[in-house]
Amino acid sequence: MEAAASSNGLSHDHTLDVSPAQRLQEKHVADAAHRPMVEDVVDEEDIAHPPPSMKAAFPILSTADEKGPQPSSEKAAGKQKAREDPIEPPSGANIPPPVILDTKSEDAFPALGRGSKPPAPASVPMAWGARKPLGVANAVPNGINGQGPVSSTFSSRASTPGSGKPMPASTNASIASHGRGPSTPQSLPIPGRHSERIQFAPSQLLRREQLKKPLHDVLRSINKSSKATVVMKSGPDGTIIFEGTGPVDAARQALRDVAKEVGSKQSVKIPIPLSVRPHIIGKQGTVVQGITKRTGARIQVPRAEEIATPGLEDDDSLTIDVIIEGDAVAAEMARREMESIVNERTSTVNLRLRDIPEEYYPFIAGPHDTRVRALEDGRQIRVHVPQYHTWSAEPPPQVPAPGTIPQFAPNRGSHIRISGDRAAAQEARSEIERQVEQLRREITLSQLAINRGQHQFILGDQGTSLHDLLEETGCAVILPPITDDTEMLTITGPQDNIESAIEKIMSLATSMHMASIDIAKQHASAPAGAQVHARALTQYLQRRQAIEQLERQFDARIVLPATEDSPMNWEVYSRDGKNTIKARSDIMHLINAHPPARLRQVPIDPFYHQHIQRQATQHVRDEFGVNLLLPDENVQNPQITLVYEGLGVPSTPEYTLPRQRPSPAEVAQFEQALHQAEAHVQGLIQGRQELISRALNIPSRFNDKVLRQVDREQQNLPPTEIPVQVISVSTHSLNGDSTIREAQRASEPVEHIVTLRGQGDMVRDLVQKLMLFLEKEKADDLERGHITSFEFPPKFANQLIGRKGENINKYREEFDVEIQINDGKVDIKGPAAKADLAKTKILALSKKLEDEATHVLKIKPQYHKDMIGAKGAQVNRLQDRYNVRVQFPRTTANASDDRSIADGASEVGASRNNRSNQAPDEVIIRGPRRGADEARDELLNLLQWTIDNSHTSTVSVAQNQLPSLIGQGGREMEIARLTTGAQIDVPGIRDTSDSTGRVSIQIKGTKRQVEEAKELLEQKAKTFDDSISRAIDVDKKYHKELIGPGGSNIRNIVLAAGGSDDRRDLARMVRFPRPESVENTIQIEGNKSVVEKIVAAITTFVKERENQATEFLDIAPEKHRLLIGRGGETRRALESQFHVSIDIPRMSQEGPARSRVKLVGEPGDLESAKAHILELVREEEGITIQVPRRFHHAISDNGQFFRRLRNDHKVTVDHDGQQPPARPSGGSRGRQNNDRALPLITDQPENIKGHTWEIVNNDEHEAESGDIPWVLRGPRDNISKAQNALQRALEQACSQGQSSVGYLVLPDPRTYRLIIGQGGSQINTIRRQTGCKITVPRDQAKGEAIEIVGSKDGIEQAKDIILEKVEKGGN
């Protein structure tokens, strides 16, 4: 009977309570649940072999990632490999494959609670490999009495604690078999027949007498009230299995009810990283309460005040213990949820190794950090081992006795940091700790005295020599700090290697060359003393960073005296003896260039030093060219040093120090400037009251308040006033017979003596105020027990506290009260008046926070950069405009100025800065409701604009095309940006290209902008890719002719070849060498066919020029214009017609060369061109007519007659080299409108009554005697016609010689246009009607007169017609 029961997985007690029929039915149900076939069995190669088994403290819950042992089916067992210790399933057992129960599913297990305090909890090993929990002793295995059966389901995952676990099984996934057998195969679930189970060790179940009712009644009651059926079976190793079959939710709930009824209460202690604590708690405890609600387990998280680790919250190696209490299933579910949070928050960790002595750091890092790189290699971690070559706080230990190992002490302020993947970081930490244990056994030390000046060369640049020493000898060197006078070096390393290290160090030290310079000796006669001047000069050169510049320039080390009282001897060390000599020589020049006349020391009471620095430093530099140096704050030296540098000298280190001895004139200039600067400095303190000191006895409990009150009393002083200084604070006992320590131990009164120093009235006034303040504080101290309490919304508690308590501490200091916050209640302890003020301030904050709104916007990270703007411009604008805070997620993990939402509300939210809770696609807006709403709307509008303008694309171009794409000064690229409106980012010319020599240009903007820019760039890229480059050598003498006037020839060649007409494209396509260059190569780049045609054209051009001949024609200079024509038109026509080049001498040439015209071309073309030019010049032979000089201007008519001859008859006029007569001066008569004012713009133009009219007879002109030749040149037939026209004009001028000239000035010069008419029609009509010559001035706005020349009757008639036209408005 027992065997039968066992075969069905039932306990002995169960078999006694059911009938045979019931047992048979249960067997049929179990057999029907799983009928495996051969296809269901996993192949041998796919079998996963689990790790060795461990004790289980919880019932086994088989999950997808933690597979528990299950009995194999017969077919599966038949395919198992033979092994030494096979596991036999119970006879006749046919255990169906379980269904995996997903404990992370909120549908299956909706959560955790808080119960009564259980017995002492057991400790679970840390899943993340952190060090031992704080304050936790060695714990026993989880479970009742620390015992439990052996289970083979221990997971090897690093993130899972190594305890046994309640694990529901599922038929939906394969289960890892026991030992090395095959896994149970997957099978399809049957709707309504879902099967899950939990497995308990006997110790995890309540004893029979502890059950409220018998076990079978419990199962019957659960089955009756549930849609699922729960049966009990026996499992391997004496475990008990409860299997639920039915709908998924019903089966899971039924199993939870079974665990609640029959499972014993468990208590487990889970260590978690301290940094995860805020995330376990959540905002206002929402996370931990949710876990309690879903699982039913009670969770205890240590309070913040119980954790004594200030400032170490980011160290993931520190842990705290979280206690979980509840039944086995509830506790396991809660543990898994917490572990999920830990895994999520500690996938990367930051570990600090604080217990390692600094003396081991060089050996851990290895030479040139080789060991660190080995630790990081292949791991996603970063290991930082601080450099340690100079001790700071504590020197290394003394040399130990022979045969003993020195005891190195760790420096708590220096530690090794490991960050990155959790498992890899723990592995690296273990390796380092193993290495440290080995170093403790091997490392010893020795000491060696070496001159301090040689220490730098033993150290090397950035410790390179020490790395080489460690690599060669296996030993490290520790140097003393600059502030210590010792010369002792400490050598650490294995005992056998110490001697070789010492030899190496001595070799490095003795390889140095040294030179000594006595600075004081150079100016032994200094008025203030040689040592004083040398010390001041050394201080000045240090401030000017001259010492560092010399060391860099000469690769040397300069050692200055260690103390103020030491002789001013500089020591120069260098490996190169020549550099030592050069450095010493340069220092000597530097010292000689700064004689005592260039420096002056002014004794000023240190009380005034800060005031002088603020008020005088910049002034004396700008006005007198003097640099003002104050002594170091820690040195009580009254001397202020003034150094003359010169006007306009920058205060930055770029100032070049002089190195020449000054002349007497320069010395006088120094002394004058220094005298003026000294007078200015002295003037800042003259007329001030005498300095006095007063000592106040302050009870120790009021000392800090009094010091803060001193600052408050003087914070609003004007810049010209000097505040009273607190120069000392000392402590003494009121009982003169006892020491301070004894008085404190005996609770005797202790007072502080505060010494104030300053100007008399200010000190006395401040002392009086402080005494009143002290009396008030003593009175307030009597009310310290008063407590004011009021309600404060708990949700705003963290805002009241502030980051690391800064807000509440500010209130405490401002109002001098104690403030405590506890469960929505604020207690203020202190004087009633101050407490009321603090209450008012805190309630005002509450009201403000009530109006505060928080919006969380989902914005994809790729838009964040554009929305933030350059240096946060966009965000700052929103914050300033709406008085809100806009928080984008940080790109790095080390946020330092804000908290995440979840952290900000947890108990330690104010002490831990972390934005890790803020998702990378979340933007948080927080502030007054109205401002937050408006900022949100504007931010969403900005997002939409950013999205619309965030279309991107790339264009691949050849890297060597970038210069042409960018253009000179970026001109071409700027044109492309302006044309398309897109943002085009071009990689630098030096950026690395791909294997094909191409780079990508990034385009960003709207869709249309991107498309246009892409099309433009792709077109240019295609043109460039299709382009070739050719170089041809052309003798430089042909370059000018090949280019042609204004580039016309080469432009015609390019256009004929099919090239572009754009000047920029033309300049890029054909590039000639510079005129001053001796090169002959012409570079041609562009489309292949175009380039070939250009090359062919240039080649043909050069060949033609090589076969050309040169002819010279002697042509009179005055005929050159016939060959040139207007704007060179005639010459170009000749060159094009005869294919020759014509070079006409410039007018500046003199002598015979002035007449020689050069012709270059083919011999046949030269003959044709020569004949044509000679014929042209011959045809242009003219006749000369003598014209009286007094009629020259009358005939020429301001050049109009010359133009008529040229246009009508092709005849030109010259004067055979003579100068034309000067124009007569009569034209200015009547110019100024008889000195009357010109009309206003509002005057009517038809009002002409104010005109002036003046007639002058021709004989009044000062006529010039003599004749001037007029040479008429042109075609023979036309010359006679021109001659006749000239004769007529001459006769007319002679006939008008006895005539008059009239000058008409109209009151409104704007009416002159009515006289001229459109195209000159009116003036020409008047001329024909009257026979007069009429000249209308061009500059009509200046009141010029209209000149009318003709007979007296004619000019009168012309005047009348003009006035009539003006009066009628030109009609």
Side-chain angles (χ1 to χ4, degrees):
M1 188 68 176
E2 292 178 1
S6 176
S7 67
N8 285 285
L10 302 177
S11 65
H12 177 68
D13 294 336
H14 179 64
T15 60
L16 297 177
D17 296 333
V18 297
S19 65
Q22 290 175 323
R23 290 198 299 273
L24 181 60
Q25 182 181 2
E26 291 174 355
K27 183 177 185 304
H28 289 167
V29 172
D31 292 340
H34 180 62
R35 299 182 183 278
M37 296 181 293
V38 175
E39 289 78 2
D40 297 334
V41 181
V42 181
D43 289 339
E44 182 67 27
E45 292 78 9
D46 298 332
I47 297 174
H49 303 295
S53 62
M54 293 186 66
K55 294 287 183 180
F58 291 120
I60 297 174
L61 300 171
S62 298
T63 61
D65 57 349
E66 302 177 36
K67 304 176 179 62
Q70 301 299 331
S72 304
S73 67
E74 293 178 2
K75 293 182 180 180
K79 293 188 68 175
Q80 291 182 357
K81 288 184 178 180
R83 54 186 182 181
E84 297 179 3
D85 187 19
I87 296 177
E88 299 272 324
S91 61
N94 188 10
I95 301 174
V99 177
I100 291 179
L101 180 60
D102 185 5
T103 58
K104 298 179 182 179
S105 170
E106 294 197 7
D107 295 334
F109 299 95
L112 285 187
R114 196 176 186 88
S116 59
K117 188 173 182 180
S123 178
V124 173
M126 290 175 285
W128 42 88
R131 71 187 186 204
K132 187 175 180 180
L134 302 176
V136 177
N138 293 334
V140 296
N142 293 325
I144 298 176
N145 298 327
Q147 298 176 355
V150 175
S151 171
S152 63
T153 61
F154 176 75
S155 172
S156 63
R157 294 175 60 210
S159 62
T160 306
S163 62
K165 303 172 261 305
M167 306 175 69
S170 174
T171 58
N172 291 335
S174 60
I175 308 300
S177 62
H178 188 69
R180 293 187 178 273
S183 302
T184 303
Q186 295 183 357
S187 60
L188 295 175
I190 301 174
R193 296 288 295 172
H194 188 77
S195 178
E196 294 188 0
R197 66 184 181 180
I198 55 177
Q199 181 176 312
F200 289 90
S203 60
Q204 296 169 325
L205 296 175
L206 294 173
R207 292 191 295 274
R208 182 177 298 180
E209 61 272 15
Q210 294 177 319
L211 294 173
K212 296 180 181 180
K213 52 185 175 181
L215 184 58
H216 68 277
D217 290 342
V218 173
L219 295 178
R220 185 181 295 113
S221 176
I222 292 174
N223 290 337
K224 184 177 180 180
S225 61
S226 174
K227 295 181 181 180
T229 301
V230 180
V231 297
M232 182 178 69
K233 303 178 182 181
S234 61
D237 300 324
T239 58
I240 306 300
I241 299 174
F242 292 93
E243 183 173 340
T245 304
V248 176
D249 295 339
R252 293 176 177 173
Q253 184 59 46
L255 291 176
R256 284 202 294 268
D257 293 341
V258 169
K260 184 176 181 181
E261 293 290 339
V262 305
S264 61
K265 299 301 180 183
Q266 305 292 314
S267 177
V268 61
K269 184 183 293 183
I270 304 295
I272 67 170
L274 176 61
S275 59
V276 185
R277 179 181 177 276
H279 306 284
I280 293 292
I281 297 174
K283 185 176 183 179
Q284 300 295 325
T286 53
V287 176
V288 70
Q289 292 172 9
I291 298 175
T292 299
K293 183 178 179 181
R294 287 191 295 273
T295 65
R298 181 189 179 203
I299 303 174
Q300 298 181 23
V301 182
R303 298 178 66 85
E305 55 267 20
E306 298 173 4
I307 306 170
T309 54
L312 301 178
E313 293 83 0
D314 61 339
D315 187 358
D316 294 309
S317 61
L318 301 179
T319 62
I320 59 174
D321 289 330
V322 176
I323 299 175
I324 304 175
E325 300 168 353
D327 62 69
V329 173
E332 171 61 11
M333 291 167 56
R335 184 194 64 78
R336 290 190 179 187
E337 287 206 33
M338 292 178 59
E339 186 176 285
S340 175
I341 296 174
V342 171
N343 290 343
E344 178 183 355
R345 296 293 174 179
T346 59
S347 58
T348 59
V349 295
N350 295 303
L351 303 179
R352 299 184 183 182
L353 282 61
R354 295 184 173 82
D355 299 327
I356 300 177
E358 291 179 299
E359 288 80 2
Y360 296 157
Y361 287 177
F363 304 99
I364 294 173
H368 305 286
D369 293 332
T370 53
R371 290 183 181 273
V372 169
R373 288 195 293 271
L375 286 172
E376 295 175 345
D377 189 24
R379 299 184 177 104
Q380 295 181 354
I381 60 171
R382 297 288 297 173
V383 180
H384 173 70
V385 180
Q387 287 191 357
Y388 182 66
H389 48 66
T390 304
W391 61 267
S392 56
E394 292 293 333
Q398 296 297 319
V399 178
T404 61
I405 297 177
Q407 297 298 319
F408 298 105
N411 180 2
R412 304 298 291 182
S414 175
H415 44 263
I416 297 174
R417 297 196 301 270
I418 307 175
S419 60
D421 179 72
R422 182 178 60 210
Q426 289 301 326
E427 184 180 351
R429 175 180 182 167
S430 299
E431 290 187 25
I432 292 175
E433 289 176 343
R434 286 194 296 271
Q435 185 181 0
V436 169
E437 289 303 320
Q438 182 180 356
L439 292 173
R440 293 186 192 277
R441 296 189 297 269
E442 297 178 355
I443 297 301
T444 185
L445 61 85
S446 181
Q447 292 184 332
L448 178 66
I450 296 290
N451 191 310
R452 288 188 61 87
Q454 297 169 313
H455 288 188
Q456 179 67 24
F457 296 96
I458 296 174
L459 176 63
D461 294 335
Q462 299 181 349
T464 53
S465 297
L466 299 185
H467 283 290
D468 296 339
L469 177 69
L470 180 61
E471 186 175 20
E472 294 178 17
T473 67
C475 294
V477 177
I478 305 171
L479 306 175
I482 298 177
T483 56
D484 194 272
D485 293 336
T486 183
E487 296 182 342
M488 201 66 68
L489 303 181
T490 302
I491 301 97
T492 59
Q495 181 65 48
D496 297 339
N497 299 353
I498 292 291
E499 288 301 325
S500 60
I502 292 176
E503 291 293 332
K504 177 68 175 178
I505 293 170
M506 294 176 66
S507 298
L508 289 173
T510 56
S511 64
M512 300 300 108
H513 296 267
M514 191 271 284
S516 178
I517 306 172
D518 187 352
I519 304 300
K521 185 178 179 180
Q522 307 306 314
H523 300 292
S525 59
Q531 290 292 336
V532 173
H533 172 74
R535 191 172 295 110
L537 179 56
T538 301
Q539 178 196 15
Y540 166 69
L541 294 178
Q542 284 181 299
R543 297 278 182 90
R544 268 301 187 178
Q545 300 182 10
I547 309 300
E548 292 85 345
Q549 294 176 7
L550 290 169
E551 289 179 335
R552 290 193 300 268
Q553 181 179 355
F554 298 105
D555 190 21
R557 167 70 174 168
I558 300 175
V559 180
L560 304 178
T563 62
E564 287 286 331
D565 299 332
S566 302
M568 286 291 109
N569 290 331
W570 291 15
E571 295 179 351
V572 182
Y573 295 87
S574 176
R575 297 184 186 277
D576 189 346
K578 294 181 180 179
N579 282 348
T580 305
I581 297 173
K582 291 178 181 178
R584 187 180 188 281
S585 176
D586 197 40
I587 292 172
M588 294 295 294
H589 291 309
L590 199 60
I591 301 304
N592 291 332
H594 291 79
R598 196 166 197 144
L599 285 79
R600 178 173 298 188
Q601 288 195 308
V602 182
I604 300 290
D605 192 294
F607 173 81
Y608 297 111
H609 283 186
Q610 291 185 357
H611 177 70
I612 289 174
Q613 184 178 25
R614 292 192 302 267
Q615 300 293 326
T617 302
Q618 193 62 39
H619 180 81
V620 298
R621 176 182 297 280
D622 296 340
E623 294 295 326
F624 313 119
V626 173
N627 191 353
L628 187 150
L629 304 177
L630 295 175
D632 295 333
E633 293 182 1
N634 56 354
V635 178
Q636 291 298 320
N637 183 3
Q639 300 294 335
I640 290 180
T641 304
L642 302 177
V643 184
Y644 179 81
E645 292 181 342
L647 293 173
V649 173
S651 59
T652 57
E654 284 73 15
Y655 167 59
T656 302
L657 292 167
R659 283 170 167 78
Q660 293 182 350
R661 189 184 299 273
S663 64
E666 290 174 330
V667 169
Q669 183 182 5
F670 299 164
E671 293 178 345
Q672 180 182 1
L674 292 174
H675 176 74
Q676 293 173 337
E678 180 182 2
H680 177 76
V681 171
Q682 294 286 4
L684 293 175
I685 62 176
Q686 285 180 355
R688 297 186 181 272
Q689 295 180 0
E690 181 184 2
L691 300 179
I692 64 172
S693 298
R694 290 290 184 271
L696 299 179
N697 293 332
I698 308 296
S700 59
R701 65 182 183 275
F702 300 126
N703 180 65
D704 293 339
K705 294 181 180 180
V706 169
L707 295 180
R708 287 196 296 269
Q709 184 66 18
V710 170
D711 294 336
R712 283 194 291 266
E713 290 289 346
Q714 303 187 106
Q715 64 183 2
N716 294 324
L717 287 177
T720 55
E721 293 294 336
I722 306 174
V724 176
Q725 298 176 1
V726 179
I727 60 173
S728 66
V729 178
S730 58
T731 309
H732 74 98
S733 170
L734 294 182
N735 185 352
D737 297 332
S738 43
T739 63
I740 300 300
R741 189 179 302 276
E742 291 172 347
Q744 293 173 339
R745 190 181 303 115
S747 299
E748 294 181 3
V750 176
E751 287 192 347
H752 286 80
I753 300 177
V754 177
T755 304
L756 305 177
R757 188 167 187 264
Q759 300 178 70
D761 289 346
M762 295 183 66
V763 171
R764 287 186 285 269
D765 182 59
L766 182 59
V767 168
Q768 184 178 1
K769 291 180 179 179
L770 292 179
M771 296 306 296
L772 293 175
F773 172 78
L774 188 58
E775 292 299 325
K776 186 175 182 302
E777 286 298 316
K778 290 179 179 179
D780 289 343
D781 201 39
L782 300 176
E783 297 185 55
R784 288 294 168 187
H786 175 79
I787 297 178
T788 299
S789 300
F790 57 93
E791 300 294 329
F792 187 84
K795 59 183 177 181
F796 300 137
N798 284 289
Q799 285 84 345
L800 175 58
I801 295 172
R803 182 166 61 95
K804 295 186 178 181
E806 61 183 3
N807 289 347
I808 197 168
N809 289 333
K810 178 182 177 182
Y811 291 145
R812 288 168 178 164
E813 180 179 343
E814 180 180 355
F815 299 105
D816 189 25
V817 293
E818 289 296 327
I819 304 175
Q820 298 295 333
I821 305 172
N822 188 15
D823 295 333
K825 182 180 179 182
V826 176
D827 294 331
I828 303 178
K829 185 178 181 181
K834 294 182 178 179
D836 291 341
L837 291 175
K839 176 182 176 180
T840 303
K841 188 75 171 283
I842 292 174
L843 290 177
L845 173 65
S846 173
K847 184 177 181 181
K848 178 181 178 182
L849 294 175
E850 286 286 356
D851 183 53
E852 187 177 81
T854 300
H855 299 304
V856 180
L857 308 181
K858 290 288 186 179
I859 299 177
K860 294 181 179 180
Q862 63 260 35
Y863 303 128
H864 289 184
K865 181 179 179 181
D866 292 332
M867 297 182 69
I868 292 172
K871 297 183 179 180
Q874 300 276 24
V875 170
N876 292 335
R877 183 178 59 82
L878 285 175
Q879 294 183 149
D880 295 340
R881 176 180 295 180
Y882 300 113
N883 191 27
V884 297
R885 177 171 182 78
V886 182
Q887 177 176 309
F888 280 79
R890 289 192 179 277
T891 55
T892 56
N894 54 346
S896 61
D897 60 348
D898 280 304
R899 306 186 302 275
S900 67
I901 297 176
D903 291 341
S906 65
E907 293 181 13
V908 294
S911 62
R912 177 173 174 81
N913 297 325
N914 191 350
R915 288 196 188 187
S916 56
N917 269 359
Q918 185 176 351
D921 63 343
E922 288 183 353
V923 177
I924 301 171
I925 304 174
R926 184 181 294 110
R929 187 173 304 279
R930 180 178 178 181
D933 292 344
E934 294 178 350
R936 174 197 59 195
D937 296 341
E938 185 166 341
L939 200 62
L940 291 176
N941 291 334
L942 177 60
L943 171 63
Q944 187 59 49
W945 184 90
T946 304
I947 292 174
D948 294 341
N949 288 269
S950 293
H951 294 272
T952 59
S953 185
T954 59
V955 176
S956 176
V957 300
Q959 189 175 34
N960 54 359
Q961 187 187 0
L962 291 180
S964 60
L965 282 177
I966 297 172
Q968 185 177 4
R971 184 185 307 164
E972 295 297 325
M973 189 52 59
E974 188 62 25
I975 291 174
R977 293 189 179 108
L978 293 176
T979 303
T980 63
Q983 175 184 335
I984 306 175
D985 295 330
V986 182
I989 297 177
R990 298 181 180 178
D991 288 355
T992 306
S993 60
D994 58 18
S995 58
T996 61
R998 303 186 72 82
V999 294
S1000 295
I1001 296 178
Q1002 305 292 330
I1003 309 172
K1004 186 176 182 181
T1006 64
K1007 184 177 181 181
R1008 180 177 178 181
Q1009 291 172 346
V1010 170
E1011 290 175 350
E1012 291 179 355
K1014 185 175 181 180
E1015 181 181 358
L1016 176 64
L1017 293 177
E1018 285 180 341
Q1019 181 180 0
K1020 290 188 176 183
K1022 185 178 184 302
T1023 302
F1024 184 85
D1025 294 339
D1026 295 340
S1027 300
I1028 63 172
S1029 180
R1030 291 282 302 275
I1032 58 175
D1033 287 334
V1034 176
D1035 196 310
K1036 193 133 188 184
K1037 64 183 179 181
Y1038 300 123
H1039 287 191
K1040 181 178 179 181
E1041 188 177 359
L1042 183 59
I1043 295 172
S1048 58
N1049 288 352
I1050 193 64
R1051 178 174 175 273
N1052 293 334
I1053 292 175
V1054 172
L1055 291 178
S1060 173
D1061 191 24
D1062 186 85
R1063 293 181 60 186
R1064 292 188 296 270
D1065 293 341
L1066 179 64
R1068 286 193 297 267
M1069 181 170 287
V1070 182
R1071 295 194 298 273
F1072 287 84
R1074 293 183 177 277
E1076 64 272 12
S1077 174
V1078 296
E1079 294 184 0
N1080 295 327
T1081 304
I1082 300 175
Q1083 297 288 340
I1084 306 170
E1085 182 178 320
N1087 183 271
K1088 183 178 180 180
S1089 60
V1090 175
V1091 170
E1092 294 296 341
K1093 292 179 181 178
I1094 293 175
V1095 171
I1098 292 177
T1099 304
T1100 302
F1101 181 90
V1102 172
K1103 287 182 178 179
E1104 291 176 354
R1105 296 306 180 271
E1106 289 175 347
N1107 297 326
Q1108 286 178 346
T1110 302
E1111 291 280 353
F1112 290 95
L1113 295 177
D1114 288 328
I1115 298 177
E1118 61 269 14
K1119 297 182 181 180
H1120 289 177
R1121 58 185 179 77
L1122 302 176
L1123 301 180
I1124 298 174
R1126 181 183 297 178
E1129 179 182 3
T1130 304
R1131 186 184 64 178
R1132 288 194 295 271
L1134 291 173
E1135 289 178 335
S1136 176
Q1137 179 181 356
F1138 296 102
H1139 306 289
V1140 296
S1141 174
I1142 303 175
D1143 185 7
I1144 300 174
R1146 295 180 179 275
M1147 295 180 64
S1148 58
Q1149 288 182 314
E1150 297 179 354
R1154 179 72 177 85
S1155 301
R1156 303 192 67 185
V1157 176
K1158 180 180 177 182
L1159 303 180
V1160 180
E1162 296 286 339
D1165 295 334
L1166 283 178
E1167 292 298 327
S1168 301
K1170 183 178 178 180
H1172 182 80
I1173 290 173
L1174 292 176
E1175 183 64 22
L1176 180 64
V1177 173
R1178 185 178 303 111
E1179 288 180 354
E1180 292 294 334
E1181 293 291 345
I1183 62 175
T1184 301
I1185 300 175
Q1186 298 294 331
V1187 176
R1189 286 180 172 273
R1190 67 178 182 276
F1191 298 139
H1192 174 84
H1193 290 291
I1195 298 173
S1196 65
D1197 192 14
N1198 290 328
Q1200 292 292 334
F1201 187 77
F1202 297 148
R1203 286 191 286 273
R1204 287 197 298 271
L1205 291 180
R1206 184 172 60 249
N1207 295 333
D1208 296 343
H1209 307 294
K1210 306 297 181 183
V1211 172
T1212 61
V1213 180
D1214 63 70
H1215 305 290
D1216 198 20
Q1218 295 188 24
Q1219 291 294 329
R1223 293 183 60 83
S1225 59
S1228 61
R1229 300 182 66 169
R1231 173 179 176 182
Q1232 297 302 324
N1233 199 16
N1234 292 338
D1235 295 329
R1236 291 196 296 270
L1238 292 176
L1240 299 175
I1241 195 171
T1242 55
D1243 293 342
Q1244 295 296 325
E1246 59 270 14
N1247 185 9
I1248 60 171
K1249 295 180 180 179
H1251 73 275
T1252 60
W1253 171 249
E1254 182 180 1
I1255 299 176
V1256 179
N1257 292 327
N1258 261 340
D1259 54 5
E1260 295 180 15
H1261 291 293
E1262 297 178 359
E1264 187 175 349
S1265 61
D1267 296 334
I1268 181 172
W1270 282 38
V1271 182
L1272 307 182
R1273 302 179 189 276
R1276 291 188 177 90
D1277 297 338
N1278 294 346
I1279 287 179
S1280 59
K1281 297 178 182 179
Q1283 182 179 4
N1284 293 333
L1286 178 58
Q1287 290 294 343
R1288 289 194 298 273
L1290 182 59
E1291 291 174 359
Q1292 183 180 3
C1294 292
S1295 65
Q1296 293 178 350
Q1298 303 300 322
S1299 63
S1300 302
V1301 179
Y1303 296 98
L1304 175 64
V1305 179
L1306 299 179
D1308 187 358
R1310 294 176 297 171
T1311 58
Y1312 285 15
R1313 59 184 177 81
L1314 303 177
I1315 303 170
I1316 298 173
Q1318 185 175 4
S1321 58
Q1322 291 282 15
I1323 193 69
N1324 290 331
T1325 300
I1326 299 173
R1327 287 168 180 164
R1328 287 193 298 270
Q1329 290 178 356
T1330 62
C1332 296
K1333 184 178 70 172
I1334 305 173
T1335 304
V1336 180
R1338 293 182 179 273
D1339 195 359
Q1340 299 167 1
K1342 294 184 179 180
E1344 293 273 358
I1346 301 173
E1347 183 183 78
I1348 308 174
V1349 180
S1351 64
K1352 190 170 183 180
D1353 295 337
I1355 62 175
E1356 288 288 349
Q1357 182 185 3
K1359 178 201 71 170
D1360 294 338
I1361 295 174
I1362 289 174
L1363 295 178
E1364 181 182 1
K1365 292 290 183 183
V1366 171
E1367 187 174 4
K1368 293 181 179 181
N1371 296 323

